[in-house]
Amino acid sequence: MFGIFRKKPVLSFEDTEFQVATFKWLLRNFGGKDFFENTKLILPTREYFPSKLDSEDEAALQTFETVKKYAGMEDWPCRLEKQEEDVDARVAPTVAVQNAPSGPLGTFQAKEESEIVITYNPDVVRNPTQLVATYAHELAHYLTGCGQEPPPGGWDNWEFATDIAATFLGFGVFMANSAFNFQQYSDVDSQGWKFSRSGYLSEAEHVFALAIFFALHDMQVDSALPHLKPSLKKLLKRSANQISKTGLVDELMAVKYVPPAYDRVDAGI
């Protein structure tokens, strides 16, 4: 199916096959009319996130509720908790502690008596794009944990499938933009740079998943381009072009949705 590309494919054959298998899994377990009619591309604009709040705690909670709403999980019971602050790696203007411990950006925990807890790192609140991506990933954990079958390759691949699931829910722009962060910093007595990664997929994998989302909804990628990092715009166009030259979309559209045998919310899951 992928041998017709004249240019080098965006992803390896194995990575592409995993994306296709994961989208089939998502469509089979969580697709149907709701996905095709109600799931939309969420963008980092005031139209989607209009609130200007007075505190970081308030911003964290309001953003979480907004992401839940766009994910179609507004009524799913879960509790949001703030993690402990990370240790400051800089102990002096020119001295930094190597490998200083830092908490995860977020966690998903299914506790006893069906209690679901999602946590967030308070540092991530200062980066709204990463905050939305973190919430989308953890809510995708919640969703996919209710599936009727394990993800492709088994539960060892759950984190990778969960990243794709966040794009499936409409948050692909946030996932792609937050996959790799390079930052320069300066203050009165020091300056330098740092980088961080979030999620489990590479930027190219996130962008390819976003292109599949567009293809499934028969949408042009132009609406995402103004909101993507400059380095990702051509990659999205390439991905969309490659997908259009294969039977990938027809293969995915042929997947039949299998409704769950029970209502997840009524069951307290």
Side-chain angles (χ1 to χ4, degrees), residues 27 36 215-217 248-256:
L27 288 166
F36 288 104
L216 287 173
H217 287 275
L248 188 157
V249 175
D250 291 338
E251 188 177 334
L252 292 176
M253 293 295 286
V255 174
K256 300 297 184 182

Side-chain angles (χ1 to χ4, degrees), residues 230-245:
S231 60
L232 303 182
K233 295 181 180 183
K234 287 185 178 180
L235 195 60
L236 179 60
K237 291 180 180 179
R238 280 182 57 204
S239 298
N241 185 52
Q242 289 183 6
I243 290 169
S244 71
K245 294 180 179 179

Side-chain angles (χ1 to χ4, degrees), residues 13 20 32 72 74 79 90 101 109 113 128 143 151 164 172-173 179 210 214 249 253:
F13 176 81
V20 173
E74 194 170 11
R79 179 160 48 88
R90 286 186 293 161
Q109 304 168 41
E113 300 179 356
L143 175 71
I164 295 174
V173 170
L210 178 58
F214 272 108
V249 175
M253 293 295 286

Side-chain angles (χ1 to χ4, degrees), residues 3-156:
I4 65 172
F5 297 146
R6 295 180 180 178
K7 295 182 179 180
K8 182 180 178 181
V10 173
L11 303 181
S12 69
F13 176 81
E14 291 77 11
D15 288 340
T16 304
E17 288 290 286
F18 179 72
Q19 293 239 356
V20 173
T22 301
F23 268 98
K24 286 182 177 179
W25 172 67
L26 291 167
L27 288 166
R28 191 163 51 248
N29 287 274
F30 316 105
K33 182 178 179 180
D34 184 63
F35 170 72
F36 288 104
E37 293 187 2
N38 298 327
T39 303
K40 57 184 178 181
L41 181 71
I42 308 304
L43 296 172
T45 66
R46 292 187 180 276
E47 177 186 354
Y48 292 96
F49 298 92
S51 300
K52 185 175 182 180
L53 303 171
D54 296 329
S55 71
E56 290 187 353
D57 288 348
E58 192 178 359
L61 180 58
Q62 182 61 51
T63 302
F64 181 64
E65 295 298 334
T66 302
V67 173
K68 279 187 72 180
K69 179 182 70 174
Y70 292 141
M73 300 173 68
E74 194 170 11
D75 296 328
W76 288 44
C78 60
R79 179 160 48 88
L80 183 68
E81 290 185 354
K82 181 168 66 173
Q83 299 170 20
E84 295 292 330
E85 295 275 357
D86 283 345
V87 176
D88 190 348
R90 286 186 293 161
V91 297
T94 58
V95 180
V97 178
Q98 290 189 346
N99 302 317
S102 60
L105 298 179
T107 66
F108 168 81
Q109 304 168 41
K111 297 189 175 183
E112 295 181 0
E113 300 179 356
S114 300
E115 182 184 27
I116 302 299
V117 177
I118 289 175
T119 75
Y120 68 95
N121 190 316
D123 285 349
V124 81
V125 181
R126 303 176 192 113
N127 184 332
T129 295
Q130 201 167 51
L131 180 64
V132 171
T134 298
Y135 287 156
H137 177 90
E138 302 309 337
L139 287 169
H141 257 310
Y142 192 178
L143 175 71
T144 55
C146 297
Q148 303 177 80
E149 58 179 311
W155 292 110
D156 287 344

Side-chain angles (χ1 to χ4, degrees), residues 215-234:
L216 287 173
H217 287 275
D218 195 24
M219 297 166 54
Q220 299 297 315
V221 300
D222 295 0
S223 59
L225 295 178
H227 307 285
L228 280 175
K229 291 179 178 179
S231 60
L232 303 182
K233 295 181 180 183
K234 287 185 178 180

Side-chain angles (χ1 to χ4, degrees), residues 132-208:
V132 171
T134 298
Y135 287 156
H137 177 90
E138 302 309 337
L139 287 169
H141 257 310
Y142 192 178
L143 175 71
T144 55
C146 297
Q148 303 177 80
E149 58 179 311
W155 292 110
D156 287 344
N157 286 334
W158 193 17
E159 293 291 359
F160 302 99
T162 298
D163 264 359
I164 295 174
T167 290
F168 182 83
L169 289 173
F171 298 93
V173 170
F174 291 90
M175 300 304 292
N177 281 341
S178 64
F180 180 84
N181 290 290
F182 178 90
Q183 294 177 310
Q184 292 180 305
Y185 66 84
S186 63
D187 52 34
V188 294
D189 53 12
S190 64
Q191 61 181 7
W193 59 268
K194 60 182 178 180
F195 73 89
S196 63
R197 298 181 185 275
S198 63
Y200 293 81
L201 301 180
S202 66
E203 285 185 324
E205 289 170 307
H206 279 297
V207 169
F208 196 84

